[in-house]
């Protein structure tokens, strides 16, 4: 897979590069650049708000969807494994698409895909159609997942921590909102789970809007480039133009131990997150907690990411080693899972809180993606590798939880699995948090 990407990147480096939106903005007057920067910030926030409702809204209504479509517990487990599968498969395409069309255009198309998928899937009429429409929405999420760190690095290279925190905070807010309001909103819309799921397509449609002027601005800049290229320009320095047209050689990212550690860390935290989003509300419901309260408990778990997703990236960028943060989050997860096993209903709010803190490993992983590479191209490669490989690692987790639940008739074994996976997550997180870059490691190793 990486070999194919290397060939494509080599061919791209030999041709005139396609500038990013940030590079196009540098050619604009200061007022225009400031306006475009504000639009990018709005686009990042709206995009982040849409990267999880497709999943957590389904988690809140999973029992109703299972009954409506006649799903078994094992098939529902497969359904909860679809997000990481799509993220792995489609996420690896994001860097190539961004080089061809620009990151803003790809994210804009991703928001369109999310809106279309969420609007179609509740009314597909059968399980196969539901899965296909879900995959369309998840494809849009996948490419946006990968490109958000790239956009942050290009537009805000001196504010990676704060902008990653803003993005992560908005992502957590969207995740929590979908978990909290999907059930009551479904009731307000007449009790139909179809309407309760479809309403989230509107939020995705709104997120398309800020990316449109950025795509148009980039298209205008490229048209101007074409016109200037066809007109002789004696004052232009040919050597500097040639230098600007060269891109760094692509990294052999698989040679970096840090890249592998970050990919495994990303995969294990994603496993925990998607098990939580897909199954935790059902764990509480099976323990006797009412459906509405179970949705609120899932929302508490997700909403913990709102303040912590802003604090953790800023703290991480100030530390030479992010291992202590990894350990603190892991301990919270272990205590939360122990409580979920021993007294799921009695201490439900405490366990939801602790597991929510543990799930903040996601913004930490995103921050480390930006910190473990020096250049925008390095961040793009590391983001695609860590997220695609990580999501591949996470695929079996939600499915295995469904199978264990189906065959054991209880939640003891699934919770034990969730707690057991936290140990290697802590270990590889410590390795990924060391102060080194993938460029250095890829160059050092033969």
């Amino acid at each position: 897979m990486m070999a194919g990407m290397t060939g494509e990147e080599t061919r791209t480096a030999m041709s005139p590069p396609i500038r990013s939106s940030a590079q196009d903005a540098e050619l604009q007057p200061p007022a225009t650049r400031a306006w475009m920067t504000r639009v990018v910030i709005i686009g990042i926030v709206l995009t982040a708000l849409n990267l999880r409702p497709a999943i957590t809204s389904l988690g809140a209504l999973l029992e109703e969807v299972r009954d409506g479509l006649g799903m078994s517990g094992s098939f529902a487990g497969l359904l909860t494994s679809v997000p990481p599968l799509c993220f792995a498969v489609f996420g690896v395409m994001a860097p190539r698409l961004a080089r061809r069309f620009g990151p803003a255009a790809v994210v804009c198309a991703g928001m369109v895909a999310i809106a279309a998928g969420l609007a179609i899937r509740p009314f597909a009429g059968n399980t196969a159609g539901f899965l296909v429409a879900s995959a369309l929405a998840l494809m849009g999420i996948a490419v946006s997942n990968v490109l958000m760190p790239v956009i942050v690095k290009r537009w805000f290279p001196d504010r990676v921590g704060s902008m990653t925190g803003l993005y992560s905070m908005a992502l957590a807010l969207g995740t929590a909102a979908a978990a909290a309001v999907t059930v009551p909103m479904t009731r307000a819309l007449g009790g139909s789970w179809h309407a309760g799921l479809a309403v989230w397509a509107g939020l995705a449609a709104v997120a398309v809007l800020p990316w449109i002027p950025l795509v148009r601005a980039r298209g205008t800049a490229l048209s101007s480039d074409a016109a200037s290229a066809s007109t002789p320009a004696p004052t232009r320095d040919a050597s500097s133009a040639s230098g600007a047209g060269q891109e760094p050689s692509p990294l052999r990212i698989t040679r970096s131990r840090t890249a592998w550690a970050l990919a495994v860390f990303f995969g294990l935290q994603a496993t925990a997150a998607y098990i939580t989003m897909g199954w935790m509300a059902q764990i509480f419901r099976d323990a006797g907690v009412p459906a509405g309260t179970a949705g609120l408990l899932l929302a508490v778990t997700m909403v913990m990411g709102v303040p912590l997703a802003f604090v953790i990236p800023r703290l991480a960028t100030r530390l030479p080693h992010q291992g202590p943060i990894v350990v603190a989050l892991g301990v919270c997860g272990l205590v939360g899972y122990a409580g979920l096993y021993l007294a799921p209903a009695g201490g439900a709010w405490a366990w939801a809180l602790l597991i929510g803190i543990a799930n903040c490993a996601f913004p930490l992983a995103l921050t480390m993606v930006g910190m473990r590479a020096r250049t925008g191209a390095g961040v793009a490669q590391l983001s695609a590798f860590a997220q695609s490989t990580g999501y591949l690692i996470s695929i079996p987790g939600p499915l295995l939880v469904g199978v264990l639940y189906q065959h054991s008739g209880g939640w003891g074994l699934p919770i034990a699995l969730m707690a057991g996976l936290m140990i290697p997550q802590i270990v590889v997180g410590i390795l990924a948090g060391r102060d080194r870059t993938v460029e250095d490691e890829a160059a050092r190793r033969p």
Side-chain angles (χ1 to χ4, degrees):
M1 179 171 65
M2 296 304 300
M5 291 179 64
T6 302
E8 178 69 19
E9 289 162 352
T10 302
R11 289 191 298 273
T12 303
M14 295 173 63
S15 61
I18 298 178
R19 286 200 305 263
S20 69
S21 298
Q23 290 169 315
D24 294 335
E26 292 174 358
L27 303 180
Q28 304 292 335
T32 302
R33 290 201 302 270
W35 173 81
M36 291 181 70
T37 300
R38 288 194 290 270
V39 173
V40 171
I41 293 173
I42 294 170
I44 288 172
V45 171
L46 287 176
T47 297
L49 287 171
N50 281 279
L51 294 183
R52 294 300 180 268
I55 303 164
T56 51
S57 61
L58 177 59
L61 294 174
L62 185 58
E63 185 172 312
E64 288 76 8
V65 174
R66 284 174 57 187
D67 293 341
L69 297 178
M71 293 183 189
S72 66
S74 296
F75 194 89
L78 175 62
L79 185 62
T80 58
S81 293
V82 169
L85 174 62
C86 289
F87 293 168
V89 172
F90 297 120
V92 76
M93 301 162 49
R96 295 185 185 183
L97 292 173
R99 287 196 301 273
R100 176 64 180 87
F101 301 104
V106 177
V107 173
C108 183
M111 294 300 104
V112 172
I114 295 170
L118 294 185
I120 294 169
R121 76 172 181 178
F123 308 103
N126 54 57
T127 302
F130 191 93
L131 284 174
V132 170
S134 295
L136 175 62
L138 294 167
M139 176 176 66
I141 296 172
V143 295
S144 301
N145 270 337
V146 171
L147 293 180
M148 280 297 101
V150 178
I151 289 173
V152 167
K153 185 78 169 184
R154 286 182 175 178
W155 281 88
F156 310 98
D158 56 340
R159 288 184 283 164
V160 170
S162 59
M163 289 306 301
T164 301
L166 178 64
Y167 156 70
S168 301
M169 186 169 62
L171 188 148
L173 182 61
T175 305
V181 307
T182 295
V183 171
M185 189 164 53
T186 299
R187 291 171 180 164
L189 294 172
S192 169
W193 62 265
H194 305 82
L197 292 182
V199 72
W200 295 104
L203 182 62
V206 173
V208 175
L209 302 178
W211 297 106
I212 294 175
L214 295 171
V215 175
R216 288 179 175 174
R218 183 176 182 278
T220 301
L222 292 176
S223 298
S224 300
D225 287 349
S228 62
S230 62
T231 304
T235 61
R236 189 172 181 176
D237 187 344
S239 62
S240 63
S242 174
Q246 293 178 353
E247 294 181 346
S249 300
L251 298 172
R252 294 196 173 184
I253 200 77
T254 54
R255 291 182 173 181
S256 168
R257 292 175 180 173
T258 297
W260 278 107
L262 188 53
V264 176
F265 178 70
F266 200 99
L268 291 174
Q269 68 80 27
T271 300
Y274 287 109
I275 289 173
T276 299
M277 286 187 280
W279 289 107
M280 201 172 84
Q282 191 65 48
I283 293 174
F284 286 126
R285 291 177 73 168
D286 287 352
V289 177
T293 305
L296 286 175
L297 287 165
L298 179 58
V300 167
T301 301
M302 300 297 109
V303 83
M304 286 308 301
V306 176
L308 290 181
F310 190 71
V311 173
I312 288 175
R314 294 169 67 89
L315 177 61
T317 56
R318 295 174 183 175
L319 294 176
H321 194 307
Q322 290 73 48
I325 304 177
V326 171
V327 173
L329 297 179
V331 169
C332 288
L334 290 172
V335 175
Y337 291 137
L340 199 60
Y341 176 81
L342 296 171
W349 295 99
W351 318 141
L353 189 71
L354 287 167
I355 294 172
I357 295 173
N359 281 350
C360 288
F362 175 71
L364 177 61
L366 287 181
T367 306
M368 288 196 289
V369 167
M371 295 178 68
R372 297 287 89 89
R374 286 196 304 267
T375 65
V379 171
Q381 280 191 260
L382 180 58
S383 180
F385 175 73
Q387 294 200 45
S388 296
T389 305
Y391 284 127
L392 279 175
I393 292 170
S394 71
I395 290 170
L399 175 60
L400 186 55
V401 166
V403 172
L404 290 174
Y405 172 60
Q406 180 84 11
H407 290 281
S408 69
W411 289 106
L413 286 177
I415 292 172
L417 171 68
M418 294 156 70
L421 291 175
M422 189 59 68
I423 304 300
Q425 178 179 320
I426 294 172
V427 173
V428 294
I430 292 172
L431 295 176
R434 295 174 298 176
D435 186 14
R436 48 187 72 183
T437 64
V438 294
E439 287 92 347
D440 291 338
E441 291 187 338
R444 277 200 307 265
R445 300 190 69 195

